[in-house]
């Protein structure tokens, strides 16, 4: 059974940095379309950053471009999200999402992603 295991997150002051990691367990390496969504209380999940681990240019939400970077880990079943210049508006529950396929458009549609992590909280204090 494929599972997504998230790590990282936590609390930081505005302007600080955090790193999230997501690892695929239960399957030997194969390329995934995977990345991160986030959810504010009472709101729907929104895409943050997605990449195809088989290699192509990642996609970012406009709100995080230039501040967040998604990249594959050394273990290609892992992706990392480096978050810098964090803002209070980045405070949310962050969810890893994945599908064992190429990334389809629209990449920010959560219906493409079959596998989801349990979520990790990111809190940015002003």
């Amino acid at each position: 059974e494929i599972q997504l295991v998230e790590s990282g997150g936590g609390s930081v002051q505005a302007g600080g940095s955090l790193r999230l990691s997501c690892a695929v367990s239960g399957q030997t390496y194969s390329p995934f379309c995977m990345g991160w969504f986030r959810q504010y209380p009472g709101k729907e999940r929104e895409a943050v950053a997605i990449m195809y681990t088989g290699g192509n240019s990642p996609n970012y939400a406009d709100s995080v471009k230039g501040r967040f970077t998604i990249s594959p880990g050394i273990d290609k079943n892992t992706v990392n999200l480096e978050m810098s210049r964090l803002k209070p508006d980045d405070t949310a529950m962050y969810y890893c999402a994945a599908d064992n396929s190429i990334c389809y458009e629209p990449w920010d549609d959560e219906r493409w992603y079959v596998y989801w992590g349990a979520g990790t909280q990111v809190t940015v204090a002003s």
Side-chain angles (χ1 to χ4, degrees), residues 5 8 30 38-39 45 50 59 65 74 77 80-81 87-88 107 113 115:
V5 181
S30 79
R38 65 186 179 189
Q39 187 171 26
R45 281 184 295 210
I50 292 290
N59 292 288
K65 282 180 181 176
I74 295 175
N77 274 6
N80 301 312
L81 184 69
K87 306 174 183 179
W107 64 273
Y113 305 95
Y115 307 105

Side-chain angles (χ1 to χ4, degrees), residues 2 4 22 24 27 29-37 47 49-59 70 76-79 95-116:
I2 294 174
L4 303 182
C22 178
V24 178
Q27 181 168 312
Y29 171 67
S30 79
F32 278 80
C33 178
M34 64 190 293
W36 298 89
F37 283 67
I50 292 290
M51 70 174 298
Y52 178 57
T53 60
N56 72 348
S57 297
N59 292 288
I70 188 170
K76 292 186 179 180
N77 274 6
T78 300
V79 291
Y95 294 92
C96 183
D99 187 42
N100 47 356
S101 70
I102 61 173
C103 295
Y104 294 101
E105 293 289 344
W107 64 273
D108 57 352
D109 188 336
E110 66 174 68
R111 292 174 295 179
W112 288 125
Y113 305 95
V114 174
Y115 307 105
W116 291 86

